Amino acid sequence: MVCVYCGRRTEALDNSIIDNHADLEKATASLAQEHPALARALEQVGALSLRKRPDGFASLLGVIVSQQLSVAAADATWSRLSSAGLTEPERIQVATDEEMRTLGLSRQKIRYARALATSGIDYLALRKKSNSDVIATLIQVPGIGTWTAEIYAIFSLGRADVFASGDLALQEATRILLDLPQRPNSRKMVEISQRWSPWRAVAARILWGYYRECKQREGIRT
């Protein structure tokens, strides 16, 4: 299969997993050795967190809930949903719109949650699919765009060579780190991130950490 990220036929690498801290350390060491810019970023970021989440409906719903929200707002909404037991597809299907609005979901996200609940996604089968197939499967569901699918692949499936090129924080961190004249768009980020393969998901972790460090130095709360 040709990877949608780099155009290579790399079936073996396509399913590489970051499953534990040993995997993360191996990938981090490789990136730091081969890419001086990422090594500089790591000096500021320090040790990376694995940030591995369970896979399945609840995790994917959580990514949808977090879309276009601050971390604090997303966490608060998810806490209310969890307390109400609305983290399973069966409960979403029988809940009323009013109940979900009260818990903090917008009308649009209620529609997305219902679409996910009735999508029939085989989450166990996703574990064995290539990165391209995982993303192609997920984006068929209303409310799941490429960014949401990539975040799920990185943190819930542990995929090592997925990069969320449309993520604004990654774009801005890359601009600062590489001293670019302007923030790279999604297409340019795909091109830039190819140099970090087969550990693009770990490069993304470094850049997210670097973004937080940069914003804290500027006195901006993230």
Side-chain angles (χ1 to χ4, degrees), residues 15-24 48-56 59-60 63 123 126-127 131 150-161 201-202 205 208:
N15 281 330
S16 296
I17 300 295
I18 300 296
D19 193 45
N20 51 51
H21 286 285
D23 295 336
L24 185 61
L48 298 179
S49 297
L50 185 61
R51 296 175 66 182
K52 186 79 168 9
R53 306 166 185 165
D55 61 337
S59 289
L60 189 50
V63 181
Y123 293 98
L126 284 182
R127 297 177 184 178
N131 295 335
E150 288 166 339
I151 294 298
Y152 182 82
I154 292 171
F155 293 114
S156 292
L157 296 179
R159 297 303 173 89
D161 203 27
V202 179
R205 287 173 170 84
W208 275 313

Side-chain angles (χ1 to χ4, degrees), residues 51-139:
R51 296 175 66 182
K52 186 79 168 9
R53 306 166 185 165
D55 61 337
F57 174 84
S59 289
L60 189 50
L61 178 63
V63 181
I64 292 173
V65 168
S66 71
Q67 292 171 354
Q68 299 180 324
L69 291 179
S70 68
V71 172
D75 287 347
T77 301
W78 186 251
S79 178
R80 291 191 294 268
L81 289 171
S82 298
S83 297
L86 290 178
T87 58
E88 298 295 334
E90 297 81 9
R91 286 286 291 116
I92 293 291
Q93 291 180 53
V94 300
T96 66
D97 285 5
E98 180 58 31
E99 181 181 2
M100 288 193 278
R101 277 197 297 271
T102 300
L103 296 172
L105 291 185
S106 66
R107 181 177 302 173
Q108 187 177 55
K109 287 186 179 178
I110 291 171
R111 182 168 65 87
Y112 294 163
R114 293 198 189 282
L116 181 62
T118 57
S119 65
I121 291 174
D122 186 340
Y123 293 98
L124 293 179
L126 284 182
R127 297 177 184 178
K128 299 180 180 180
K129 289 182 178 290
S130 68
N131 295 335
S132 298
D133 284 347
V134 167
I135 292 167
T137 297
L138 294 180
I139 63 175

Side-chain angles (χ1 to χ4, degrees), residues 139-206:
I139 63 175
Q140 299 304 308
V141 181
I144 298 181
T146 302
W147 178 87
T148 299
E150 288 166 339
I151 294 298
Y152 182 82
I154 292 171
F155 293 114
S156 292
L157 296 179
R159 297 303 173 89
D161 203 27
V162 173
F163 191 88
S165 60
D167 188 276
L168 295 181
L170 293 183
Q171 293 173 0
E172 181 64 8
T174 300
R175 181 192 69 79
I176 298 169
L177 182 63
L178 301 183
D179 195 25
L180 301 177
Q182 60 186 15
R183 189 170 70 196
N185 60 21
S186 181
R187 180 175 297 180
K188 184 63 176 179
M189 284 301 297
V190 170
E191 177 186 330
I192 291 172
S193 69
Q194 289 177 16
R195 70 187 70 173
W196 301 320
S197 182
W199 307 117
R200 278 176 281 188
V202 179
R205 287 173 170 84
I206 295 171

